[in-house]
Amino acid sequence: MRKFLIALSVGLNIAFITLWALHAYPTGNAAHIDSLYGPAHTQAPSLLHRSVNATPEQWRAIEPHVRDFQEAARSTREDMKELRRKMLHLLAEPVVDEKAIHSTKQEILAHQERMKNLVINFLLKEKEILEPEQFKALLDAIQRRCNSCGDNEGPGMMSRVLGNDAP
């Protein structure tokens, strides 16, 4: 049961970072960006990307990946939400079905792994577009944001998402 609770905690952390990313990256096509900021505007509409001085051209290259990430993350979050409901239902049953609980736990873990992969793949795409110093600043900003949002369980949520599960 302890492993399940840890896995559930990690899943919730991953869901949090995904929700944060959804709010940090506004969507819209290039015409929408120009209508908001003007074609000569020198900053990207994403607050996070503004903090690393991403150019409008960089944002235009990043923005389609943001939309893809948001859709995949939304779908994964919905699936995980349903699996958590299923787990709670199984745990509430008068007769415990340990096989079903174990199976559901494995499904939850698989979705958590999918979410980690989505985040890592998205960051790798950003790394291709941003300059090295911008990307480092982006990771630093994400780390600071994760640490400032109540992550008091060790090295920070982003470190766990990136696979640095130091105790």
Side-chain angles (χ1 to χ4, degrees), residues 42-74:
T42 60
Q43 293 183 324
S46 159
L47 293 175
L48 186 61
H49 289 89
R50 274 190 234 164
S51 75
V52 300
N53 297 317
T55 66
E57 294 76 22
Q58 287 172 319
W59 174 251
R60 284 188 180 94
I62 291 168
E63 195 264 342
H65 301 295
V66 170
R67 283 185 282 129
D68 293 345
F69 171 79
Q70 288 174 329
E71 179 57 32
R74 182 198 56 75

Side-chain angles (χ1 to χ4, degrees), residues 14-97:
I14 291 171
F16 167 79
I17 198 168
T18 303
L19 287 172
W20 170 79
L22 292 173
H23 288 91
Y25 301 116
T27 60
N29 58 31
H32 176 69
I33 292 169
D34 285 347
S35 72
L36 288 174
Y37 298 95
H41 195 272
T42 60
Q43 293 183 324
S46 159
L47 293 175
L48 186 61
H49 289 89
R50 274 190 234 164
S51 75
V52 300
N53 297 317
T55 66
E57 294 76 22
Q58 287 172 319
W59 174 251
R60 284 188 180 94
I62 291 168
E63 195 264 342
H65 301 295
V66 170
R67 283 185 282 129
D68 293 345
F69 171 79
Q70 288 174 329
E71 179 57 32
R74 182 198 56 75
S75 174
T76 301
R77 272 193 330 277
E78 288 175 5
D79 292 346
M80 288 175 67
K81 190 177 182 182
E82 188 58 39
L83 287 169
R84 285 187 200 103
R85 279 192 206 122
K86 180 180 176 183
M87 179 63 78
L88 291 174
H89 176 74
L90 289 169
L91 292 169
E93 289 292 319
V95 177
V96 175
D97 183 347

Side-chain angles (χ1 to χ4, degrees), residues 139-152:
L139 293 180
D140 290 346
I142 291 170
Q143 184 68 50
R144 280 191 309 276
R145 175 71 175 167
C146 292
N147 288 339
S148 71
C149 290
D151 178 26
N152 56 7

